[in-house]
Amino acid sequence: MKVWRKTPPLFVLAALLFGIKTYIVYRFMFGISIESVLQEFILILNPIVSAYVIFVISVWLKRNKQGNYLKYMALIGTMILYVNLLFYRNFTDFITVPVLFQGNNAADLTSSIFTLIHFSDLFLFLDVIVIWFLSNRSYGIVQYEKPQKVAATAVMFLLLATNVTFAEMERPMLFVRTFDREYLVKNIGVFNYHLYDVSMQTKTRAQRVMADGSEIQEIKDYISDEKNEEQAEGELFGIAEDKNVVFVSVESMQNFVLDETVNGEEITPFLNDFKKDEDTIWFENFYHQTAQGKTSDSEFLVENSLYPLDRGAVYFTHAQNEYHALPEVLNKEGYTTSVFHANNRSFWNRDMMYETLGYDRFYSQQEYEITDENSFGWGLEDKAFFEQSLPYLKEQTTPFYSKFITLTHHFPFELPVDEASIDKLETNSNTLNQYVQTARYTDESLQEFMSRMKDEGMYENTMFVFMGDHYGISEFHNSAMSEFLDKEITGYEHIQLQRVPMMIHIPGYGEGKTYEEITGQIDMKPTMLHLLGIEEQNELNFGENMFDQNRKEFVAMRDGSFVTEDYIYTDSVCYAKNSEEPVEVENGNDTPCTPWKEIVSKELGYSDDIIYGDLFRFYDFKE
Ligand code: GP9
Ligand code: MN
């Protein structure tokens, strides 16, 4: 005990240094929001507790091993924190186990990675240097006696209990509510969060083994109950029958750029006209519903009319499941199905997943001629991409369904100066400033593609579907967005910003229309089948044909937020659409959003059950 009084034990000093460093990172680098003094207190407490838990183990080691243990633990802990920080800067989210297994993606992220690393990040390693220095001098390292070891460990349990108690006070049922990873990190810290995540992943694996198929009937009943009378013979049923389908997944395109200008120039002149074309049906309140799997999640939604998972990318975690996807249905109807995307075949595990989903052919990076001149940002630029895809498209046996995934308008939205045909914005976010330039570039590439289709005589027999895959501008840029759009980005506005372009163009249709109804990516599969005049037998889709008058009354986001015709619910606040303000809380805690909350979480849960349990293996899609 004497020693403890003379020099502070190094493990305590290390816990304090590491803990305070972590707090600063949470608070100022992750930008975790704080709403009360209690939250602030927990945010300071949990990193110190976590660090203490890690470092106290050293007291049980021999004296000569303690220094190394403290050094390496500080380094490993810092690396975990740093990798999370880089990930957070890109995705505004924390890493989950499934994401970790997306190693190939990490390799492809090199073009973004340099914009994610900041010089000030060196700060993260200061405490490691101090701990390293002191360990090498054996400062504060002694051989602990049994009572000291026990006392130090008892303190650990006391600290843990305090942390858990405060966290539970702040967020009851924290561990049951898994929709928001930020809450978890805020309350228990990033390291404990990872432990929690690993246990969740183990549970996921177990779920498939446990499922026996009995669950599917309840889900089927729910889907039939929720859906109002099916109207197979709607006005537009089969209007695109026998046409080819070209589906373009437009990278990072959000509705907020449509009809907006920079220095008097329209950002997306082509899409602006296209949506009002007499052959175009434009859904102006169409929401993306993706989560961590970004583009792959949007593909999954469109192909399966199931929700992606709230963690990881289902393209990675459940590529071996059984599905009843759009390509499979179309193949049976005699279509040739293909995907065009000039990136690595393995990105988002596409090579595996496309096979599972039933695509006949995947034209990836290796089918394109990619040179220094025609590639920037993430790879082959969109204009060259469409140009080089055309000969392959011409080879398809008709009718075909072909999906194109663009790439140029991807974070960090970099374009060579001489390729830009519109000025940058001048907000405080370079990301947003550049976003408009790549948006314009992709807009031009779509225009070129359409005129090429016409020149090649492939336009008339084709139905075109243009869809934005997910947001490109994250919440991180809210202040710049607010400057650009000249309004405050409230929770309401944040959800409205999740609207992405959805335009269906059928040559010869002639009755172009704008739909104001709320719709989402989950509805794409039934909608396209409807237009093609295909009735899916015994279907199990969570989405509905977007032309149906009696549609389900909500669009659910993967984090439990949702939109109805009159309300928007997000971050525990219910906004009225007419005022754009939070609604008054009625009796007790109820708001007009309350009844939907349960239905939305039930629906997301059922979709998860299908995926985790691989339930379609028990379901007969034939009559
Ligand atoms: C990668 C491209 C972009 O192939 O689809 O993916 P994202 O980062 O948008 O999910
Ligand atoms: Mn994308």
Side-chain angles (χ1 to χ4, degrees), residues 157-173:
F157 284 113
L158 201 70
L159 284 172
L160 271 176
T162 315
N163 190 173
V164 170
T165 312
F166 279 115
E168 189 61 25
M169 266 164 62
E170 219 287 307
R171 280 281 149 190
M173 312 238 304

Side-chain angles (χ1 to χ4, degrees), residues 251 295 469-470:
E251 178 59 44
T295 311
D469 62 351
H470 50 73

Side-chain angles (χ1 to χ4, degrees), residues 458-471:
M458 294 174 76
Y459 168 78
E460 295 294 336
N461 327 335
T462 304
M463 164 168 100
F464 297 86
V465 184
F466 291 174
M467 184 192 85
D469 62 351
H470 50 73
Y471 70 82

Side-chain angles (χ1 to χ4, degrees), residues 251 294-295 341 343 347-348 350 378 405 407 410 470:
E251 178 59 44
K294 303 299 282 290
T295 311
H341 183 47
N343 199 359
F347 199 98
W348 285 129
R350 286 187 173 106
W378 270 49
I405 306 170
L407 205 51
H410 192 289
H470 50 73

Side-chain angles (χ1 to χ4, degrees), residues 114 127 157 159-160 276 278 331 368 381 410 439 459 507 618:
F114 292 109
D127 62 325
F157 284 113
L159 284 172
L160 271 176
K276 293 196 214 93
E278 58 172 12
N331 287 347
Y368 292 86
E381 47 92 359
H410 192 289
Y459 168 78
F618 303 112

